[in-house]
Amino acid sequence: MEGAAVVEAGRVAGTDDDPRAAELRRAVARLRRDLAAHPAELPDRAIADDELAALDAMARTGAPELHRLRRSLLLIAGALGSVSALAPALTCVRAAIDQFSHVPQPGPGRD
């Protein structure tokens, strides 16, 4: 029963309401792990870390603004440069952000 209370608490806080936000948080967590494990010194690593934290915070709020998500993605991509080891995780973040640009269209009878 304790597990059910934890799940319900997450719903109340708004963290599980939007599957796109949950996907964004997973993608951000993966990129953060990959970046932390990357041995090379990246001059703009702090910028990437700050923007990843900002993305996570936006995803937690529930309704992030698409232009702010894309701005963060651009800053992260610029900070990471062309580090091929981080490309798959960065691609997942981009795909998660792209999900926010697909707004469901109201169907017949739905106003």
Side-chain angles (χ1 to χ4, degrees):
M1 210 52 162
E2 288 177 20
V6 171
V7 170
E8 190 61 32
R11 287 191 185 129
V12 170
T15 58
D16 290 333
D17 291 343
D18 190 343
R20 299 172 304 170
E23 181 62 30
L24 178 57
R25 292 192 61 222
R26 281 190 294 273
V28 165
R30 176 184 173 195
L31 183 53
R32 285 175 124 173
R33 282 190 310 271
D34 289 359
L35 181 58
H38 191 67
E41 285 297 320
L42 302 173
D44 295 328
R45 179 178 241 154
I47 293 170
D49 286 332
D50 289 348
E51 289 303 318
L52 286 167
L55 282 176
D56 188 58
M58 285 186 271
R60 287 178 189 272
T61 65
E65 296 176 24
L66 184 58
H67 74 276
R68 179 66 179 102
L69 293 173
R70 289 184 174 158
R71 180 182 179 276
S72 288
L73 178 63
L74 182 61
L75 289 170
I76 292 166
L80 299 181
S82 60
V83 179
S84 61
L86 300 173
L90 183 59
T91 299
C92 289
V93 171
R94 179 181 180 205
I97 289 173
D98 284 347
Q99 290 181 12
F100 285 92
S101 66
H102 300 110
V103 179
Q105 299 298 317
R110 289 189 252 167
D111 292 333

